[in-house]
Amino acid sequence: MTRQQVFDYVKEKYATVPDYPWFDDNAVLRHADNKKWYGLVMEVGRDKLGLPGTGAVDVVTIKCDPTLGSFLKTREGFHPAYHMNKEKWLSIRLDGSVPEEEIQNLIDQSYELTASRKAIKQGKQRAGAK
């Protein structure tokens, strides 16, 4: 999955467009209602992730259940969050090392974990009405 594919996915699913608060290529993904971040797409130096070689890689950083995050960090393509709480956030390389569907599922979980209480309550009410 590429950064553009992440942007396309969140636009389609959540009507989110990337926000560029630092006027560079690093983009924040925010909830429309509470403005909380549920993702951060950025370019990070390979050395900052403990990877060999020079240059940078794109990552998406998402909020994650700490237990799941601990497990995922043992797998290829997953890293402790860059510039975020390393217990509750996780960086995922966007270089093909993690399947697209898995990244999408983790973005969805991050969206849910950072949703406002009102949005969660409304979602549960809609689910109960079905």
Side-chain angles (χ1 to χ4, degrees):
M1 191 166 207
T2 65
R3 79 175 24 233
Q4 187 57 54
Q5 288 171 314
V6 168
F7 296 153
D8 293 345
Y9 177 73
V10 299
K11 183 176 183 182
E12 171 78 22
K13 186 144 188 186
Y14 301 112
T16 299
V17 293
D19 177 22
Y20 295 91
W22 304 287
F23 306 104
D24 58 13
D25 289 335
N26 299 317
V28 174
L29 306 175
R30 298 178 193 265
H31 286 270
D33 63 345
N34 64 11
K35 305 298 181 207
K36 281 188 177 181
W37 296 13
Y38 68 91
L40 175 61
V41 178
M42 55 194 309
E43 187 179 75
V44 178
R46 296 179 66 81
D47 60 324
K48 304 273 193 256
L49 298 174
L51 297 172
T54 59
V57 294
D58 283 334
V59 299
V60 60
T61 300
I62 50 96
K63 191 162 191 178
C64 186
D65 172 79
T67 304
L68 177 60
S70 292
F71 166 72
L72 290 174
K73 286 181 235 176
T74 66
R75 295 183 40 214
E76 178 67 21
F78 295 94
H79 301 274
Y82 183 73
H83 265 296
M84 299 290 274
N85 178 307
K86 292 178 181 10
E87 181 184 340
K88 297 180 180 180
W89 291 80
L90 177 72
S91 288
I92 308 166
R93 285 197 327 260
L94 299 175
D95 63 357
S97 57
V98 178
E100 182 174 332
E101 186 176 324
E102 187 170 10
I103 294 172
Q104 290 172 342
N105 288 336
L106 289 165
I107 290 170
D108 294 342
Q109 288 177 31
S110 183
Y111 188 88
E112 294 289 324
L113 286 169
T114 55
S116 68
R117 293 184 193 272
K118 181 179 177 183
I120 292 168
K121 185 177 178 182
Q122 288 173 345
K124 287 180 181 178
Q125 288 174 342
R126 278 191 296 258
K130 292 181 181 180

